[in-house]
Amino acid sequence: MMKSSEHEITDQVAGKAQEALNRAAQTAGTAEEYTREHISHADERVREAATHGRERADDVLERVNTYVRDKPLTSIGLAFVAGVLYKTLTRRR
């Protein structure tokens, strides 16, 4: 009589453990789907931001090139002043 009671308890515990494992697996699967979806959206946003950044950098570079071509002496003077200012600010004391 004791043996069958022990088997029933063991079977009940095993059943509860299996239910808990099934719930954990389902939750993990849902979490994985959620993570994959959000990673995909984040990747898309990063690519869009990178493309936008490249476009802006190209625009700025084109404007600087145009300015240097149109005003070469002023550009040289600005570069000289920027160099002197940089050296002054980074001079070791």
Side-chain angles (χ1 to χ4, degrees):
M1 186 82 162
M2 282 295 246
K3 291 278 184 183
S4 70
S5 158
E6 289 174 1
H7 287 293
E8 287 176 17
I9 292 172
T10 302
D11 289 344
Q12 287 176 353
V13 169
K16 295 289 183 186
Q18 185 63 45
E19 289 174 17
L21 284 173
N22 289 342
R23 282 194 304 272
Q26 184 178 7
T27 300
T30 302
E32 180 185 12
E33 288 175 27
Y34 177 84
T35 302
R36 287 185 187 276
E37 181 178 327
H38 281 78
I39 286 173
S40 174
H41 290 298
D43 183 53
E44 183 179 321
R45 287 192 303 269
V46 166
R47 288 180 193 278
E48 289 172 0
T51 299
H52 181 69
R54 269 190 240 100
E55 289 171 356
R56 295 227 6 170
D58 289 344
D59 182 48
V60 168
L61 184 59
E62 181 59 35
R63 289 189 348 213
V64 168
N65 283 334
T66 299
Y67 185 85
V68 170
R69 273 193 303 270
D70 292 347
K71 300 178 181 178
L73 293 178
T74 303
S75 300
I76 291 170
L78 287 172
F80 177 77
V81 170
V84 170
L85 182 61
Y86 177 77
K87 182 171 175 96
T88 301
L89 292 173
T90 59
R91 182 184 319 159
R92 293 188 180 175
R93 296 178 183 230

